[in-house]
Amino acid sequence: MADQLGYLIECAALPSVQIHVVPRDVGMYAGLGGPIILADLPDGLRVAHVDGQARAQIIEQGPEIATLERRWARIVGEALPRAQSLDLIKKAAASWT
C-alpha cells in the first residue's frame, strides 16, 4: 500500500495530473459511478475514458463530454483541495511504512 500511495504522490507532481480525495463522510456522490479521465489531445480534441464493470469506453461526442465535465465539477466540489488531498495521501503512506 505504501508503494501505491507513493506512486500517487509522484503522479500528483505531474503538471497534467490532478488528484483529489473525496472524504468518506461525503456519502453518495457522482464519482461513485466509476472513474473518469478527461484528456485534451494535441489537436485540440477533448476525449474521455470511462470504466465500468462490463467494459471501458472512449467518448468523443460533445454532449457526452459536456455531461462528464459537469460530473467532474461536482466531484471536485465534494473533494478536498489538491494540496490537502496530497497531504492526506502522504499521511496515509507514512502509516503503511
Side-chain angles (χ1 to χ4, degrees):
M1 181 63 81
D3 289 342
Q4 292 176 17
L5 293 169
Y7 182 70
L8 284 177
I9 293 166
E10 287 177 30
C11 289
L14 298 170
S16 61
V17 174
Q18 292 186 36
I19 296 177
H20 295 272
V21 175
V22 177
R24 186 179 321 177
D25 62 357
V26 165
M28 297 292 291
Y29 72 103
L32 294 175
I36 301 169
I37 298 172
L38 293 168
D40 294 314
L41 302 180
D43 64 1
L45 182 66
R46 177 165 259 203
V47 297
H49 178 271
V50 294
D51 254 332
Q53 290 182 342
R55 66 185 167 103
Q57 184 177 5
I58 302 293
I59 298 171
E60 298 177 11
Q61 294 81 13
E64 289 177 305
I65 295 290
T67 297
L68 292 171
E69 288 172 334
R70 287 189 301 275
R71 187 169 296 161
W72 172 248
R74 288 194 314 269
I75 293 167
V76 172
E78 297 287 355
L80 299 172
R82 289 172 72 178
Q84 200 174 346
S85 293
L86 186 57
D87 288 344
L88 187 61
I89 293 168
K90 288 176 180 177
K91 187 177 181 180
S95 74
W96 283 93
T97 55

